[in-house]
Amino acid sequence: MAAAPIRQRSGPGGPRAQLPPCYYEGYLEKRGPKEKASRRLWTCLCGNSLYFFNNAKDAHYVERLDLGGFVSLKDDCSRDRNLEAARLILRMKDGETKLTAPNLESRELWKGFLYSVIDLNVPSCLTLLPGQLQMLREVVDKERSRRRTRTPTRAPPSPLSVPLVGEIPPCFRPVSRTEAEVLLERHPDCGNMLLRPGRDGCSLAVTTRQDLNGSVFRHYRVTQRDQGGYVIDVENPIPCADLHEVIDALVEKTAGTLQPFLLEEPYEENITYVSANDENGERILHTAPTSPLPRAPALPPKQDRWPSSPLSRSPAPDRRILTSPVPASPTNPMRRLILSPSPLTQTLNEELKMKLEKRRASQE
């Protein structure tokens, strides 16, 4: 399971040379949060980002995934048409991205490089060879050195550096030309025109997208005038007082066909947190319960040891009732029962009386 060769495919001044150092690369099938089908793209782990190219020879990437919004990385055990393929679920703050590696060994190595770049530490929960672990240590050292020596770039002399409230339109996005095209194509319902920084760092640009048997992109330069205001650099320049007027002018010139791009940033609907499994060290994303925690039942009020209420305790039976004389009421059934013995009782009494009389007579 050797690592994919890392080689520069463009000249010293080419687009690839402007990217951060490439630590690992190879083909992956990718499906983003809003994509219905997977695409097989040449993927490069450069610095703390994944860059996707249509093929290994392309100099310009088609998409970039910043790993700064990393949440979790876990295996996807669902089956694929290719039985040897191995899937991954890369969860970011703005959604899940599903990646498919050619085989299990390749997936394990991709996980190792991703964890090393994200955590700046060699993961201990993966099954890798000693040589591969050494490569990951080198990557961690290079990435630490890159972040330590990286200095923030100076802001270009653009209107963004002017602290004026309300000057920047809401359709402004701090993205590159390629990223602007991807953003407009991915979210067609949010508008088809956005304002972005220019490539030269000294101007702004407007990127538009329209459908004509596919996506048609156009880019317009917007420069700041020395006497104030801006101008749209087309064949017949269009002067504008501010950036809002730049957007309004393009909407008006196209009869409303172009509309500002307004992307509402997603917000989480549930509270989530990441914890590590003590057995294998894999990090798992948990969702906090949405229902309120049950309250402890209230204790019953303290009662006296010997309640005085006659209803709280049944009285002990009065034994005297059993030995009390029967009332002398003639209507009492018990009195009639005692005063009127049964015939059998009378017969036994007479026989007993006769025997006693015979015994007395014989004794005399």
Side-chain angles (χ1 to χ4, degrees):
M1 185 174 61
I6 301 174
R7 51 186 179 273
Q8 195 72 23
R9 304 182 186 275
S10 56
R16 287 282 186 100
Q18 300 177 6
L19 299 180
C22 185
Y23 301 134
Y24 190 60
E25 59 183 359
Y27 275 110
L28 287 177
E29 291 186 12
K30 171 191 171 293
R31 189 174 74 179
K34 298 185 180 296
E35 296 175 340
K36 297 182 179 180
S38 299
R39 293 182 296 165
R40 187 171 182 265
L41 300 172
W42 183 259
T43 309
C44 298
L45 177 61
C46 301
N48 195 33
S49 299
L50 287 173
Y51 292 84
F52 299 95
F53 301 81
N54 286 323
N55 55 66
K57 296 182 180 180
D58 280 359
H60 297 277
Y61 62 89
V62 296
E63 191 172 346
R64 171 178 172 266
L65 182 60
D66 186 3
L67 298 176
F70 173 81
V71 175
S72 66
L73 179 66
K74 63 179 181 179
D75 297 340
D76 184 0
C77 299
S78 59
R79 292 185 175 273
D80 190 85
R81 290 178 299 177
N82 181 8
L83 299 180
E84 295 183 357
R87 295 180 172 181
L88 273 173
I89 298 179
L90 176 61
R91 180 168 175 80
M92 311 296 291
K93 291 181 179 180
D94 56 353
E96 289 184 351
T97 299
K98 295 186 177 181
L99 304 173
T100 303
N103 48 58
L104 293 173
E105 295 178 345
S106 177
R107 181 178 71 178
E108 201 75 359
L109 196 53
W110 270 109
K111 289 165 59 178
F113 277 97
L114 289 173
Y115 277 133
S116 298
V117 170
I118 294 170
D119 297 335
L120 292 181
N121 194 12
V122 177
S124 59
C125 58
L126 303 178
T127 305
L128 298 174
L129 299 176
Q132 296 165 347
L133 294 176
Q134 180 60 32
M135 285 193 303
L136 297 184
R137 295 188 189 96
E138 295 176 358
V139 167
V140 171
D141 294 339
K142 291 179 181 178
E143 181 63 13
R144 285 179 177 173
S145 176
R146 185 186 74 88
R147 297 186 189 183
R148 186 168 51 250
T149 58
R150 184 178 54 184
T151 56
T153 58
R154 295 183 58 187
S158 67
L160 295 179
S161 60
V162 180
L164 297 178
V165 178
E167 183 177 352
I168 306 302
C171 63
F172 174 80
R173 309 290 295 187
V175 294
S176 64
R177 172 184 288 226
T178 303
E179 291 171 336
E181 294 178 354
V182 173
L183 202 58
L184 291 175
E185 190 169 22
R186 183 179 296 178
H187 306 281
D189 298 334
C190 298
N192 56 0
M193 173 179 57
L194 63 79
L195 182 68
R196 61 177 178 83
R199 180 174 293 182
D200 57 3
C202 300
S203 62
L204 295 172
V206 174
T207 299
T208 65
R209 174 191 175 274
Q210 299 180 74
D211 288 320
L212 182 63
N213 298 325
S215 297
V216 178
F217 296 99
R218 293 291 183 266
H219 306 274
Y220 305 95
R221 186 191 302 273
V222 178
T223 57
Q224 188 174 15
R225 299 188 298 179
D226 296 335
Q227 62 272 26
Y230 303 89
V231 60
I232 304 176
D233 291 335
V234 290
E235 185 176 358
N236 294 320
I238 304 174
C240 303
D242 53 29
L243 293 176
H244 287 278
E245 191 170 325
V246 169
I247 302 301
D248 294 340
L250 292 172
V251 173
E252 182 181 355
K253 292 290 184 181
T254 59
T257 302
L258 296 179
Q259 290 295 322
F261 181 80
L262 302 176
L263 178 62
E264 182 179 356
E265 297 293 341
Y267 292 93
E268 299 293 338
E269 297 180 356
N270 297 304
I271 300 175
T272 58
Y273 60 97
V274 179
S275 64
N277 192 318
D278 295 336
E279 296 181 358
N280 54 18
E282 183 179 0
R283 291 183 292 183
I284 303 175
L285 182 68
H286 298 274
T287 301
T290 56
S291 58
L293 296 176
R295 295 183 177 181
L299 296 176
K302 186 176 181 181
Q303 299 181 354
D304 295 336
R305 184 176 181 181
W306 305 108
S308 58
S309 175
L311 297 178
S312 61
R313 187 174 180 179
S314 59
D318 193 352
R319 299 179 181 272
R320 293 176 298 174
I321 298 177
L322 301 178
T323 58
S324 62
V326 180
S329 174
T331 59
N332 192 325
M334 292 298 296
R335 179 174 178 81
R336 290 199 305 268
L337 180 62
I338 297 174
L339 298 179
S340 301
S342 64
L344 180 60
T345 303
Q346 292 179 357
T347 304
L348 293 176
N349 290 337
E350 291 178 356
E351 291 180 355
L352 181 60
K353 184 177 181 181
M354 290 176 62
K355 289 182 179 181
L356 289 175
E357 290 179 352
K358 289 181 180 181
R359 181 177 298 178
R360 288 178 183 175
S362 59
Q363 289 179 354
E364 292 176 355

